[in-house]
Amino acid sequence: MGGAAARHREAEACFRDALARARGGDPRGALRVLERAHTLDDRHDGVRNALGVLRLETGDAAGAVEALRPLARTQPHAAAIQLNLGHALVGAGAVEEALAPLGRATRLAPADPLAWYGHGRALQIAGRPAEAAAAYARALALGPGHAEARASLSAACFFTDRIDEAEAEASAVLAAHPDHAGARFNRAVARLARGRWREGWADYEAREHTGLVDAQRRAWERPRWTTQPLAGRTLLLHAEQGFGDTLQFVRWIARVRARRARVVLVVPPPLVALLRASAVADEVCAFGDPLPPHDLQLPLPSLPHRLGLVTDAEVLGDGRPYLRLPPGAAEPEGAWRVLPAPRVGVVWAGHGPPVSARHRSVGLAAMRPLLRQPGVSWVSLQHGPRAAEWREAPPEVVGDEPAPLHSFADTAGVLGALDLV
């Protein structure tokens, strides 16, 4: 008995020490002490809760869930624990599961703006932006100065086609917090959606200070191109964000070359063959290849801002194709090649982070009425894990899926043989 009491006292001392370390800005040191406290007394609720919070803060979302899930079962009326478990589940990618404890937190603490904000964030990641907007609005009614809730409300408004409200909410955040990168990025996409190119491109530079490109950050030795003359110099342009972003932004490289600059483009390997054949740059390399000599560098999505593209004609171009199939590239094999015309390609889901993929995915089920149209041969262009859903197409559908698409040159080969997409 005395041994258990002594361990409890030592665990309590470790708990107080860990809290002090956390308040002092040393979360990893606090976590080490908490792990010791948990070894001493694994029934100490304060230790278990703090352990979950600090594991999540230091990047171990699964470990946070492991600590918090049993605690939430034994403390079902503790709003803070339910909220912490919800945050941990979101961090671990279990967004649908997170909605239950987060919703419970709003019922247990209906006057807490943090609970409503947490619930709204999970709803938004789960692809339910209208419900998320309502939760953010509740958080702001309770705490009008909650900048993150207002910035998130801006994004939710955008995803529900309330573009003007999205811009207004983002501007309201920036009026009080001029350096809020997330709000500036949200305002950028709202302005770009309205064709307000000059303001939109300027705000779009804030993306580099958000989590949007964290996984793609690299150290570049050469200085960034801002206003330096380009004639006779080599500019390295490096892709950023998704494949589609790169295919969109390369259209403006011709304007750089018109300034008598040599352009080296660095892109993900699946894009190399297509972009080399399209001659969009003087040289196209894959990430990971040795870099050719260059004088300046710039992320590709910053190009329209640096070029000052502010009119529809400058931004949208003249409509002429700027991508070409590699010479001699064969259409990928597959039974789809002998399907009767018209042959129509179909894709139903986007890729990327869960929140982005959900907003860019209609789902194959929603396309069933279309797929049942007679006289059409359908060809699946879906790539990745959701490609297998094609097997669930209505049995009367005439169609096939192409051979695996290993690069965008393969995709281009299929597209070139189709009548519509």
Side-chain angles (χ1 to χ4, degrees):
M1 189 76 175
R7 287 197 300 274
H8 176 77
R9 286 194 298 273
E10 187 178 350
E12 183 65 28
C14 287
F15 178 51
R16 291 193 296 271
D17 180 24
L19 293 181
R21 288 171 182 260
R23 286 193 292 268
D26 181 17
R28 295 193 179 277
L31 181 59
R32 288 193 297 271
V33 177
L34 277 176
E35 298 284 5
R36 166 69 177 159
H38 189 248
T39 301
L40 291 164
D41 184 356
D42 61 4
R43 296 185 179 183
H44 192 302
D45 288 351
V47 169
R48 294 159 75 192
N49 186 43
L51 189 61
V53 171
L54 282 171
R55 281 177 177 174
L56 180 62
E57 186 178 336
T58 54
D60 181 14
V65 171
E66 182 184 4
L68 291 166
R69 184 183 275 135
L71 182 60
R73 290 196 198 102
T74 59
Q75 299 281 352
H77 302 298
I81 293 172
Q82 300 298 320
L83 183 60
N84 291 339
L85 173 59
H87 288 323
L89 287 165
V90 170
V95 180
E96 297 294 339
E97 186 183 351
L99 292 173
L102 290 170
R104 194 174 300 121
T106 64
R107 294 189 293 275
L108 292 167
D112 183 1
L114 294 179
W116 287 103
Y117 167 68
H119 194 210
R121 180 168 169 265
L123 286 165
Q124 187 157 341
I125 295 172
R128 295 158 63 176
E131 295 170 79
Y136 294 141
R138 186 73 175 270
L140 288 167
L142 295 165
H146 197 311
E148 294 306 320
R150 194 171 297 282
S152 298
L153 176 59
S154 169
C157 287
F158 181 84
F159 284 120
T160 51
D161 295 325
R162 295 150 57 191
I163 308 299
D164 292 339
E165 290 178 65
E167 181 179 354
E169 295 293 352
S171 293
V173 176
L174 292 168
H177 306 278
D179 295 329
H180 196 294
R184 193 166 298 279
F185 176 80
N186 291 344
R187 191 171 72 174
V189 294
R191 288 175 165 178
L192 292 172
R194 289 282 187 244
R196 293 166 57 188
W197 307 115
R198 186 188 305 276
E199 301 162 294
W201 293 133
D203 278 347
Y204 196 62
E205 294 296 280
R207 73 190 186 282
E208 294 189 73
H209 305 289
T210 70
L212 182 68
V213 298
D214 280 350
Q216 298 174 314
R217 294 190 192 279
R218 295 174 174 85
W220 302 98
E221 295 182 2
R222 307 305 297 165
R224 178 169 292 206
W225 177 45
T226 52
T227 60
Q228 304 96 316
L230 288 176
R233 310 179 89 174
T234 297
L235 174 65
L236 179 79
L237 292 171
H238 38 98
E240 181 191 279
Q241 301 176 57
F243 295 121
D245 298 272
T246 299
L247 293 175
Q248 293 283 351
F249 281 89
V250 296
R251 72 179 69 200
W252 297 304
I253 295 178
R255 292 177 173 270
V256 179
R257 299 170 82 184
R259 299 187 181 196
R260 295 188 292 122
R262 185 175 186 275
V263 176
V264 175
L265 178 63
V266 187
V267 297
L271 290 172
V272 170
L274 177 63
L275 293 179
R276 280 179 178 164
S278 302
V280 294
D282 295 282
E283 189 170 352
V284 179
C285 305
F287 282 116
D289 290 347
L291 293 178
H294 56 280
D295 303 294
L296 302 163
Q297 54 82 21
L298 187 73
L300 188 60
S302 290
L303 195 55
H305 176 56
R306 292 297 173 213
L307 290 171
L309 307 183
V310 297
T311 68
D312 286 355
E314 291 171 333
V315 172
L316 303 178
D318 56 13
R320 287 183 293 181
Y322 56 92
L323 300 175
R324 294 193 292 274
L325 187 64
E331 300 167 8
E333 295 294 332
W336 67 274
R337 298 178 67 177
V338 298
L339 291 172
R343 295 183 294 186
V344 182
V346 62
V347 63
W348 54 88
H351 299 292
V355 63
S356 174
R358 284 187 178 93
H359 289 305
R360 301 188 311 173
S361 302
V362 65
L364 186 60
M367 290 187 165
R368 284 176 177 264
L370 182 67
L371 297 175
R372 287 192 172 99
Q373 295 297 311
V376 176
S377 297
W378 299 96
V379 178
S380 167
L381 299 173
Q382 185 65 46
H383 187 63
R386 296 190 66 175
E389 294 176 19
W390 184 247
R391 302 189 190 100
E392 303 168 12
E396 68 271 23
V397 168
V398 176
D400 190 30
E401 50 189 307
L405 304 175
H406 300 293
S407 73
F408 280 86
D410 292 338
T411 304
V414 176
L415 294 177
L418 298 177
D419 299 291
L420 293 170
V421 176

